[in-house]
Amino acid sequence: MKSIGLALGSGGARGWAHIGVLRALQEAEITVNYISGASIGALVGAIYCAGELDELEDFIRDLSWRDMLAYFDMVFPTSGLLDGSKVYELLSEHIQGMKIEESEIPFCCVATDLIKGEEVHLTTGSMVDAVRASISVPGIFTPFCHGDRYLVDGGIVNPVPVDVVRKMGAEIVIAVNLNRNDITSGLGKSSSPADPTHGLTVSGKPEEEDADDKAITPPPSSSEASKRRKESFLKNLSNRYLSLQETLSGKVDQWLPDEDQGLNIFDVIGTSLNVMEQQVTRSRLETYLPDLLVEPPLNDFPIFDFHKADRIIRMGYTAMKQQLPAVKDLL
């Protein structure tokens, strides 16, 4: 049998399709000998190499929009809108202290040196660090500091790393491109939650004035007066919290408006990146031809549709399943 290498492409939430691709290959008992990935392709590839694909799939299939937001810490915009510390912790749970060179399947993570504009191939060292670097979408995630380098999304320079996995020794390269066709069809289809405060609620409501409160009552005892002062304090605190909630709602709503209000900042950055990556992908695939190109039709899924894993996985599975006869011919 000839050795098979997978080049897993970048594309945000569309990357869950890589799980479907891997499932189809597993069912057909086709062994993958090498993997290289950029961005979300690096994440799924690393999880697969760590033997944690089942756990990842179980986790993301139950992921809601609100659950997803728990892993994205909004920070005051400096080098990015989101801090990746919680994503780093999530990756650590699955990959733990694994080194890239310890993987039974040779693996290469593609990132971009933000300062030098160079492609970086990470083949040794911490698997978690490598993936965190490769998934750092510019403008959204803060860059990952790796030594004296600031590393970001590998998809900027090499969205579908066919040449990388070929150099690793693969005789047959299967490339998975997530950004085929008209990527702008996802514009205005952001899956922002209906509640822009993302679940910020107050337990209970400020008590409404009751008719009995207007009745003449005996002067309160000292303990009753203390109790009422406490209740008054809690009511004021609740009102202040409600006011803060409304302020936060307005701020967050500027970032994540309803669909009818047009694009939010994540749509703009994500779609712009996809436009660029599509052009880079076309150019690189003309230069570095894979033996088989798998392109699930995912243009209706914006970059942050991570909570639609079930549909995206199925589309990746179907696309790979249709190509299995061609893989067997190559073997």
Side-chain angles (χ1 to χ4, degrees):
M1 286 288 183
K2 296 179 180 179
S3 61
I4 293 180
L6 284 183
L8 303 180
S10 59
R14 300 173 184 180
W16 296 149
H18 292 316
I19 297 176
V21 169
L22 289 164
R23 292 303 188 201
L25 291 171
Q26 285 178 328
E27 285 184 10
E29 298 183 345
I30 294 173
T31 302
V32 176
N33 306 103
Y34 303 92
I35 296 178
S36 180
S39 196
I40 190 69
L43 187 152
V44 175
I47 294 291
Y48 180 73
C49 289
E52 294 283 320
L53 194 66
D54 291 344
E55 289 75 10
L56 176 66
E57 185 172 355
D58 289 343
F59 171 76
I60 64 172
R61 282 187 182 275
D62 293 330
L63 193 66
S64 69
W65 172 267
R66 190 163 293 176
D67 293 333
M68 184 189 74
L69 286 172
Y71 291 94
F72 296 146
D73 293 332
M74 290 187 180
V75 294
F76 184 81
T78 52
S79 57
L81 297 175
L82 304 175
D83 176 38
S85 59
K86 288 189 178 180
V87 175
Y88 187 92
E89 292 172 7
L90 176 63
L91 289 171
S92 297
E93 290 177 11
H94 288 282
I95 305 176
Q96 299 178 353
M98 183 178 181
K99 300 290 185 181
I100 301 175
E101 58 268 30
E102 294 172 351
S103 173
E104 292 185 6
I105 302 173
F107 176 73
C108 179
C109 182
V110 178
T112 302
D113 186 318
L114 185 62
I115 305 301
K116 296 182 179 179
E118 296 176 348
E119 183 173 341
V120 178
H121 298 166
L122 301 170
T123 56
T124 60
S126 169
M127 183 77 86
V128 175
D129 286 354
V131 173
R132 168 64 177 87
S134 188
I135 64 173
S136 298
V137 180
I140 293 182
F141 280 111
T142 54
F144 183 78
C145 185
H146 185 74
D148 60 348
R149 287 173 161 178
Y150 288 95
L151 302 181
V152 295
D153 196 326
I156 295 174
V157 290
N158 199 348
V160 187
V162 172
D163 57 320
V164 177
V165 77
R166 182 88 70 188
K167 289 177 182 177
M168 293 171 69
E171 296 172 280
I172 297 173
V173 175
I174 300 174
V176 185
N177 176 27
L178 306 174
N179 299 318
R180 138 187 117 125
N181 292 335
D182 182 14
I183 53 87
T184 58
S185 63
L187 288 175
K189 296 183 180 179
S190 171
S191 302
S192 305
D195 176 12
T197 62
H198 313 314
L200 277 176
T201 55
V202 178
S203 127
K205 299 179 180 178
E207 297 175 4
E208 296 180 359
E209 187 177 21
D210 193 276
D212 293 337
D213 292 339
K214 297 179 180 180
I216 298 175
T217 56
S221 65
S222 60
S223 61
E224 289 176 339
S226 175
K227 181 179 178 182
R228 290 199 177 182
R229 283 197 300 271
K230 184 177 180 181
E231 289 175 348
S232 176
F233 170 77
L234 291 176
K235 182 184 291 187
N236 290 334
L237 183 63
S238 178
N239 289 336
R240 286 178 179 273
Y241 188 85
L242 283 171
S243 176
L244 175 62
Q245 181 178 340
E246 291 174 359
T247 301
L248 287 175
S249 173
K251 293 290 186 184
V252 174
D253 196 39
Q254 293 176 12
W255 283 18
L256 300 173
D258 294 332
E259 291 184 18
D260 293 339
Q261 297 177 7
L263 304 177
N264 64 50
I265 190 169
F266 298 109
D267 288 326
V268 173
I269 296 175
T271 303
S272 299
L273 188 64
N274 280 335
V275 169
M276 180 199 69
E277 288 185 357
Q278 191 180 45
Q279 300 301 318
V280 175
T281 299
R282 182 179 297 118
S283 175
R284 292 193 72 102
L285 288 179
E286 289 175 356
T287 304
Y288 304 104
L289 291 173
D291 298 286
L292 189 70
L293 182 60
V294 181
E295 296 185 301
L298 300 167
N299 42 303
D300 285 334
F301 296 95
I303 189 173
F304 270 82
D305 269 4
F306 291 102
H307 58 297
K308 296 183 179 178
D310 186 69
R311 288 174 56 197
I312 295 173
I313 291 172
R314 279 189 280 112
M315 296 184 84
Y317 175 84
T318 300
M320 187 68 252
K321 194 85 170 174
Q322 294 171 346
Q323 298 269 32
L324 288 178
V327 176
K328 293 176 179 178
D329 287 343
L330 289 169
L331 291 172

